[in-house]
Amino acid sequence: MDARLNLFDNPVAAKSLRYFISAGKVVEDTTLPAATQELVKIRASQINGCGFCTDMHTKDAAHAGETSTRLNLVAAWREATVFTDAERAALELTEQGTRIADAAGGVTDEAWANAAKHYDEEQLAALVSLIALINAFNRVNVIVQQPAGDYQPGQFG
């Protein structure tokens, strides 16, 4: 299976992706825990049906030491006992921020207040930016039907 468009050889796509990657570096350099960042990327990618990003971020998380139990339970985080209250708040914000078209009010005040109990202002800004960014990456990859399964941790730097 080949992607509809080679995102790395196309000058416009490659330039756009460089900006996305730069924005991602800003988030990575914050105090938002790296494990939380990966959980957010995985959950949004699952919701959006982005196989490429789900493959990438589960493998990157495992490579960074995340357990298979936690990775296997991201989609069922509400019923799982392996996530902290802070991670649960981040996952709830991720789900509501990813499914904004499914809810008339967007992200609820309750979800925001719960996240704000666990994260400071810098971390909240990072979380909001990350949710928006992974959704953008997901959409690009889903639109071009980027194949999944061959990603190797650290492949992109």
Side-chain angles (χ1 to χ4, degrees):
M1 177 177 174
D2 291 324
R4 293 173 169 160
L5 178 69
N6 186 322
L7 298 173
F8 305 105
D9 286 345
N10 180 286
V12 172
K15 186 175 183 179
S16 295
L17 288 175
R18 280 194 297 275
Y19 285 109
F20 285 21
I21 292 164
S22 293
K25 297 280 186 210
V26 171
V27 173
E28 286 175 19
D29 291 342
T30 68
T31 60
L32 184 66
T36 302
Q37 291 183 40
E38 288 301 331
L39 293 174
V40 164
K41 290 183 245 185
I42 292 165
R43 188 64 191 123
S45 298
Q46 290 171 334
I47 292 166
N48 289 323
C50 183
F52 184 81
C53 289
T54 302
D55 180 43
M56 172 190 286
H57 297 297
T58 55
K59 287 176 179 175
D60 282 348
H63 185 73
E66 189 60 79
T67 68
S68 59
T69 300
R70 283 169 46 93
L71 291 173
N72 291 334
L73 290 172
V74 171
W77 64 268
R78 283 180 181 81
E79 294 81 27
T81 59
V82 296
F83 301 104
T84 68
D85 288 343
E87 290 168 337
R88 290 173 176 285
L91 289 165
E92 179 65 28
L93 194 64
T94 300
E95 287 192 3
Q96 289 189 21
T98 298
R99 292 184 163 137
I100 54 175
D102 298 341
V107 174
T108 65
D109 289 339
E110 293 80 12
W112 181 261
N114 192 32
K117 285 191 323 192
H118 299 284
Y119 300 102
D120 64 27
E121 193 167 298
E122 176 188 294
Q123 292 169 325
L124 285 169
L127 194 52
V128 168
S129 298
L130 181 60
I131 293 165
L133 187 60
I134 192 59
N135 274 279
F137 271 119
N138 291 164
R139 280 149 178 76
V140 168
N141 286 316
V142 169
I143 292 167
V144 303
Q145 294 184 342
Q146 192 69 37
D150 294 329
Y151 176 79
Q152 298 299 313
Q155 177 177 328
F156 297 119

